Amino acid sequence: MTDSSDTTARRIGGTPRVVVTRHLMPSVEARMSELYDATLNTGDIPLTREQLADAMADCDVLVPTVTDRIDAELIEGAGERLKLIANFGAGTDHIDLAAAAKRKIMVTNTPGVFTDDTADIAMLGIIGVPRRIREGVELVRTGKWTGWAPSRMLGRRIGGKVLGIVGMGRIGQAVAHRARAFGLDIAYHNRKRLPEAIERMLAARYVPDLDTLLAEADILTLHCPATEETTGMLDARRIGLMKQGASLINTARGELVDQEALIAALESGHLAGAGLDVYPDEPRVDKRLIRHPNVMTLPHIGSATAEGREASGEKVIANIRFWADGHRPPDQVLDALV
């Protein structure tokens, strides 16, 4: 890693050639076409690995999304003109940052724009799973609902229950802020403890040991990236530590959870339900999850608001403009400084 003076791109000559891997908001694509020599994916069919390699061989800027796995091999085979990977989205675990740094390819992202949207979807699961919302909707839709009864469709009150948050970055904190209003007791695990002032503001208590948090939580929600350390972190042993009848919410990455262990815990009744917006083999969703009456299976819509997607696209454009003008982009990923 070098100092920031070495990371500043010189102003490039001519119009940057930009390849966008997925269909973005129309206003964003229109602006891209005005500013750059842009190749767009208006059909929104994910690029194959070969198509990604071809694109990276002949562009100045690649604009990928979470569905594009930009690994070391692709980066090492990229053309000399590729100098910026301007990611659409905050997460960068699908990009090999070390390989990009080695090739002196700058990486940017779009942090913050999807925080509230993803936190809202997490709250949907935090409320909906204990209250058996998916099962209730199914009863009405299939015509099997026979009317109100005092002892049917009983869920669990969430007020006073322990919400365990794993990963207390922007989204985790936004979830804690919302959950406080519902009377949940908020406990969290994070690589680093938050400042005391933030803990007080969120009424959140730090649990340094993940296993301890799992044993305490009535509802567990995941908000951390998929890294070597976190991939598969919720395995059979750790799921076994969770309370009988607890719920799991995952709007982060499917790779965080051992899916077979999760399904086993759901089918045995050890876990009461789950709210899932991400899966290890998207877009494939295991049929056992779909069949379970108390698993909310969402199609990765945590960030799916028009406002968020537009803001993310505008951040991508800003990052490219700063870079093309020879300035440090506002959202340069620190781990990929070159």
Side-chain angles (χ1 to χ4, degrees):
M1 187 177 295
T2 58
D3 63 50
S4 61
S5 63
D6 292 326
T7 71
T8 303
R10 63 177 178 84
R11 183 181 179 89
I12 69 169
T15 302
R17 175 165 167 69
V18 178
V19 174
V20 184
T21 67
R22 297 298 298 266
H23 179 43
L24 305 183
M25 296 292 286
S27 61
V28 172
E29 292 190 333
R31 188 65 174 149
M32 288 251 191
S33 296
E34 289 174 5
L35 293 171
Y36 314 120
D37 174 14
T39 298
L40 306 174
N41 184 358
T42 55
D44 204 30
I45 299 173
L47 300 186
T48 65
R49 186 175 180 83
E50 291 73 22
Q51 289 171 324
L52 272 174
D54 289 344
M56 293 170 69
D58 190 33
C59 68
D60 300 295
V61 181
L62 181 74
V63 181
T65 72
V66 67
T67 61
D68 304 300
R69 182 65 59 181
I70 312 299
D71 58 25
E73 184 179 3
L74 281 174
I75 290 172
E76 289 165 5
E80 289 299 319
R81 65 185 296 181
L82 179 62
K83 295 299 181 185
L84 175 64
I85 298 175
N87 188 59
F88 179 91
T92 56
D93 45 270
H94 57 294
I95 302 170
D96 192 319
L97 299 180
K102 185 178 178 181
R103 277 290 309 273
K104 298 190 180 298
I105 297 172
M106 192 175 291
V107 179
T108 60
N109 65 345
T110 61
V113 295
F114 298 133
T115 297
D116 288 334
D117 303 327
T118 307
D120 289 344
I121 290 295
M123 284 304 302
L124 175 68
I126 289 167
I127 299 167
V129 173
R131 294 301 303 270
R132 300 169 62 185
I133 295 300
R134 182 257 171 95
E135 189 176 352
V137 169
E138 192 74 12
L139 279 175
V140 174
R141 285 192 166 187
T142 58
K144 296 179 180 178
W145 183 46
T146 58
W148 183 89
S151 59
R152 295 178 191 164
M153 280 300 297
L154 301 182
R156 292 290 181 180
R157 179 182 296 166
I158 65 170
K161 300 299 193 298
V162 176
L163 174 65
I165 301 178
V166 182
M168 203 62 153
R170 289 186 181 93
I171 297 173
Q173 290 179 42
V175 169
H177 177 73
R178 287 158 171 75
R180 183 181 181 186
F182 285 86
L184 284 151
D185 175 13
I186 301 160
Y188 77 95
H189 175 78
N190 201 47
R191 285 181 301 173
K192 295 181 180 179
R193 184 171 183 171
L194 296 178
E196 185 178 346
I198 295 179
E199 288 185 340
R200 285 201 305 270
M201 178 181 70
L202 298 174
R205 56 186 174 85
Y206 177 59
V207 180
D209 179 60
L210 177 57
D211 286 1
T212 300
L213 179 68
L214 297 176
E216 290 185 13
D218 297 290
I219 306 167
L220 187 75
T221 182
L222 306 180
H223 300 288
C224 46
T227 65
E228 288 186 10
E229 292 76 22
T230 62
T231 296
M233 69 175 184
L234 212 62
D235 56 13
R237 182 189 71 82
R238 281 185 162 146
I239 290 174
L241 295 175
M242 295 175 67
K243 285 183 177 180
Q244 179 76 26
S247 302
L248 171 67
I249 315 301
N250 187 9
T251 60
R253 290 288 185 266
E255 294 86 349
L256 302 178
V257 181
D258 180 330
Q259 185 166 268
E260 286 299 321
L262 170 61
I263 291 170
L266 288 165
E267 291 183 341
S268 71
H270 178 70
L271 294 184
L276 306 174
D277 190 39
V278 289
Y279 310 90
D281 189 24
E282 295 182 17
R284 179 181 174 273
V285 180
D286 194 292
K287 291 180 180 179
R288 292 171 291 177
L289 294 172
I290 296 172
R291 286 196 301 263
H292 193 284
N294 201 26
V295 175
M296 298 174 66
T297 48
L298 301 176
H300 202 152
I301 58 171
S303 65
T305 66
E307 296 88 346
R309 296 284 168 85
E310 184 126 14
S312 185
E314 292 298 332
K315 271 184 172 283
V316 169
I317 291 171
N319 284 324
I320 297 172
R321 292 192 71 176
F322 270 78
W323 168 81
D325 287 342
H327 304 300
R328 184 189 180 108
D331 300 308
Q332 183 171 345
V333 179
L334 295 179
D335 287 346
L337 289 179
V338 293

